[in-house]
Amino acid sequence: MKTDVLVVGSGIAGLVLALRAADHAEVVVISKRRAEESNTNWAQGGIAAVFERGDSFASHVRDTLRCGDGLCDREVVRRVVHAAPERVAELADLGVAFTREGRAFALGREGGHSHRRIVHATDFTGAAIERALLARVRSHPHIVLLEDRLAVDLILDSRLRGRKPRGRRATRAGART
């Protein structure tokens, strides 16, 4: 089997990557178990994002850094907080059935958050995300999903071989000549 992109893992990151890459390439996703058995599926909490009137990115960053007790990278927190509303909207567009109040997301206030900013899909947010993404992946004509496969099996499976770099050959120690 030939592919342009190989994605190892069927959690939220792997499935979103597969869907994005499939717009430009042939994609194979491998999952060590059934795809529904990822850690994403078991996540019950929601996703924190700034949607509430009166909330701000600065407040969300401040709350996260305070609760992180010095363990957070300020720049990473800033980037994640600023991207969160767009990522939540993208998941909703992909079919995730987030809990709503009318047309708006129903927002909860939890943990160290100073505003209502937690978006849920009832109490099973991870399962809702996994279901929606898997439905998209399974129906996409440029994605093949292989379940019950370990990444090490790629070395052993003659049908899934990587291409050798042109003009170079790999040595046993991994150095290129």
Side-chain angles (χ1 to χ4, degrees):
M1 171 181 294
K2 289 187 177 184
T3 190
D4 301 312
V5 177
L6 173 66
V7 176
V8 178
S10 62
I12 189 172
L15 297 177
V16 169
L17 173 63
L19 288 165
R20 288 182 179 173
D23 289 338
H24 311 284
E26 297 297 318
V27 178
V28 171
V29 178
I30 66 167
S31 178
K32 68 181 171 185
R33 293 188 178 97
R34 285 189 21 234
E36 292 84 0
E37 295 179 21
S38 75
N39 287 332
T40 296
N41 191 54
W42 300 108
Q44 293 181 348
I47 301 171
V50 174
F51 286 108
E52 184 181 52
R53 178 180 232 145
D55 195 1
S56 68
F57 292 130
S59 175
H60 191 175
V61 167
R62 191 171 41 257
D63 290 348
T64 303
L65 292 173
R66 185 183 70 249
C67 290
D69 197 28
L71 298 174
C72 301
D73 181 306
R74 180 178 298 276
E75 181 56 25
V76 171
V77 169
R78 189 192 69 71
R79 287 194 321 244
V80 169
V81 164
H82 282 262
E86 189 175 343
R87 296 292 74 80
V88 170
E90 178 183 4
L91 289 170
D93 289 344
L94 288 169
V96 177
F98 289 113
T99 305
R100 301 209 180 233
E101 291 174 348
R103 296 177 63 100
F105 296 118
L107 302 173
R109 181 175 171 198
E110 300 173 6
H113 294 281
S114 60
H115 292 273
R116 294 175 351 112
R117 61 172 72 111
I118 311 301
V119 179
H120 288 274
T122 62
D123 283 335
F124 304 100
T125 304
I129 292 170
E130 189 77 13
R131 248 189 330 274
L133 294 178
L134 278 173
R136 290 288 181 125
V137 163
R138 286 184 167 131
S139 67
H140 200 293
H142 298 289
I143 301 175
V144 173
L145 176 61
L146 301 175
E147 298 175 278
D148 297 313
R149 304 285 177 99
L150 296 175
V152 72
D153 292 340
L154 298 177
I155 298 167
L156 305 174
D157 188 337
S158 63
R159 295 175 300 137
L160 296 170
R161 294 275 186 218
R163 297 182 197 127
K164 292 184 180 177
R166 291 185 185 161
R168 297 178 171 182
R169 62 183 169 83
T171 64
R172 282 189 70 167
R176 303 259 182 224
T177 58

